[in-house]
Amino acid sequence: MKHITILAPDYQTNIATVACVAGAYEIFSQANEYYKSNGGREFYVIEIAGVNNNTPLAGGLFSVRTHTLIAQVHKTNLIIIPSLASNFEKAEKSNIDLVNWIGQQYKNGSEVATMCSGAFMLASAGLLHGKNCSTHWNYADKFRSLFPDVNLQAHELITDEDGIYTNGGAYSFLNLVLYLVEKYYDRPTAIFCSKIFQIELDRQSQSPFIIFKGQKQHGDEMVKKAQAYIESQSAARISVNSLSEQFSIGRRNFDRRFIKATGNTPIEYAQRVRIERAKKSFESTRKTINEVMYEVGYADLKAFRQVFKKFTGVSPLAYRRKYNKDGKGE
């Protein structure tokens, strides 16, 4: 019989941790029952494991009675790491036993899945070096600063590489669980769970949910000044050559420093600033697509649509219809 282990960390937990542990346990349990009732043979023992028998979560607001201790789990097929709280710098020290156990289990052939900010624990275990990874878009800058050797794909809802699964933010962990149900059981079981728990199947991106704030958690003061200038001129055409001249630096060196600090080229950064402004306008006003396009500095509708979809995953019209209750047709 195969085994799925859902971790209950002792530290850095929050209410989302509780939701991840409970949600994963409930959905996998339902998948087990459905799969068995339809003649499936390779179902799973599903256990919540930790370093203590009774684990406090979210500052003691909740607690979970674990089925077993990690020291007693010598072999498991899948480990699930739930969301964690935001004080990630301490995660490795406070959860050192879990981190070491995860690393050893992965070496022994276990697969590992992380939910939301649980990716920080996985990265602390050294298992994401050189690999693609996702986490909550709101933690992307912090993650990049702590783990620059990981290929963070903040727009992706789920990544799947070498037996390691990661996912985007907050309650999108439900989409990851469905993805894993299909992997570990089959498509009909995933569809059944999707319908029972009313979770959208096959979501691929968290781009429509990203709020672009500008990557400011870096120490390059020149780049910060350039960012501030781009943000202040969001409706104007930006000349990167002129901008680099303002700071008395060559264009190639300017681009290199900007990309290193923000993860975007200066042009991409300006595009993201404009698109974020357009999103807010679509959410809160009754302006037409053309009015918003001109407002944020675009004159070509095709180009605007292409850039908008690049960063949000949807068209301007679809975005407005989704987030503005008055947003009907154009």
Side-chain angles (χ1 to χ4, degrees), residues 2-276:
K2 296 187 177 182
H3 193 274
I4 294 174
T5 303
I6 302 168
L7 295 185
D10 267 21
Y11 300 96
Q12 280 79 43
T13 63
N14 54 23
I15 293 176
T17 311
V18 181
C20 288
V21 172
Y25 183 77
E26 184 174 19
I27 296 172
F28 274 116
S29 296
Q30 184 70 69
N32 249 0
E33 292 304 314
Y34 178 82
Y35 193 69
K36 286 190 289 185
S37 69
N38 284 273
R41 296 181 179 180
E42 290 190 348
F43 51 91
Y44 294 82
V45 173
I46 303 161
E47 291 187 316
I48 300 172
V51 295
N52 296 305
N53 290 316
N54 197 55
T55 301
L57 300 176
L61 185 61
F62 299 92
S63 65
V64 58
R65 181 172 295 177
T66 58
H67 295 105
T68 187
L69 304 179
I70 58 170
Q72 298 170 337
V73 181
H74 302 296
K75 175 64 178 176
T76 187
N77 296 92
L78 175 66
I79 300 165
I80 295 177
I81 304 172
S83 174
L84 299 171
S86 59
N87 50 335
F88 305 118
E89 291 87 343
K90 299 179 182 178
E92 183 175 3
K93 294 179 181 178
S94 299
N95 286 306
I96 190 66
D97 290 338
L98 285 178
V99 168
N100 290 339
W101 181 82
I102 292 165
Q104 187 58 52
Q105 289 293 322
Y106 182 70
K107 290 179 182 177
N108 292 341
S110 299
E111 295 193 325
V112 186
T114 72
M115 298 169 165
C116 189
S117 50
F120 285 79
M121 180 180 282
L122 188 60
S124 295
L127 302 184
L128 289 176
H129 181 80
K131 291 184 173 66
N132 292 322
C133 164
S134 185
T135 189
H136 196 301
W137 58 261
N138 200 34
Y139 301 142
D141 289 351
K142 171 67 75 174
F143 189 93
R144 288 189 182 99
S145 68
L146 291 176
F147 306 107
D149 61 330
V150 179
N151 302 322
L152 184 64
Q153 305 293 324
H155 62 286
E156 295 288 348
L157 191 70
I158 295 170
T159 66
D160 177 346
E161 184 176 359
D162 296 336
I164 291 178
Y165 311 91
T166 69
N167 95 287
Y171 288 76
S172 69
F173 80 85
L174 296 168
N175 300 100
L176 173 65
V177 176
L178 286 187
Y179 183 86
L180 293 171
V181 166
E182 182 171 354
K183 279 255 179 179
Y184 277 74
Y185 297 86
D186 54 25
R187 179 73 174 181
T189 304
I191 292 172
F192 174 78
C193 289
S194 171
K195 292 179 177 180
I196 287 292
F197 295 102
Q198 300 184 44
I199 306 166
E200 185 180 349
L201 198 62
D202 296 329
R203 273 186 58 206
Q204 301 295 323
S205 174
Q206 63 176 336
S207 293
F209 302 97
I210 293 175
I211 302 172
F212 182 67
K213 299 177 180 178
Q215 303 94 327
K216 304 291 177 61
Q217 294 182 355
H218 59 81
D220 194 321
E221 293 302 319
M222 183 273 289
V223 173
K224 287 183 179 180
K225 291 177 181 178
Q227 289 174 273
Y229 178 82
I230 291 171
E231 290 164 11
S232 71
Q233 304 291 320
S234 61
R237 181 177 294 276
I238 300 293
S239 168
V240 181
N241 286 329
S242 297
L243 189 55
S244 63
E245 289 173 3
Q246 286 186 35
F247 297 101
S248 302
I249 184 173
R251 169 67 187 271
R252 290 182 64 183
N253 194 28
F254 177 78
D255 283 354
R256 180 188 60 79
R257 285 176 61 175
F258 200 98
I259 294 169
K260 181 179 180 181
T262 70
N264 294 121
T265 67
I267 294 299
E268 288 171 338
Y269 193 89
Q271 289 174 334
R272 296 191 67 174
V273 169
R274 289 180 176 188
I275 296 306
E276 193 61 35

